[in-house]
Amino acid sequence: MSANTASESEIAAALKAAGVDNADRWAHEVIEYRPYAAGDANLTSLRDNLAKYNPGEETVDKIVSALTP
């Protein structure tokens, strides 16, 4: 799922499928910090922004695993 072009509901569904708790909330945060660099497959800027909320490494890894730039 593209973090840059997918809708918030599409991202939320992808996060739920990846086992992310509070997927709707995290989808909102993904949308808020757009755009992401197309060449950053690890979504480093998204990881940095999510870290502000102290979600835990496992949650961040699940979020990023469900997304592409």
Side-chain angles (χ1 to χ4, degrees):
M1 186 67 53
S2 172
N4 282 322
T5 61
S7 69
E8 188 170 334
S9 62
E10 289 173 325
I11 290 173
L15 297 183
K16 285 177 190 170
V20 176
D21 291 333
N22 298 315
D24 292 332
R25 182 229 175 166
W26 294 117
H28 178 78
E29 299 303 333
V30 170
I31 299 295
E32 182 178 347
Y33 293 109
R34 285 178 177 174
Y36 302 102
D40 184 10
N42 197 34
L43 291 167
T44 304
S45 64
L46 174 60
R47 287 178 178 274
D48 291 345
N49 284 311
L50 294 178
K52 298 175 193 175
Y53 304 101
N54 298 313
E57 186 176 341
E58 181 181 355
T59 299
V60 173
D61 287 345
K62 285 180 182 179
I63 292 168
V64 172
S65 75
L67 302 171
T68 60

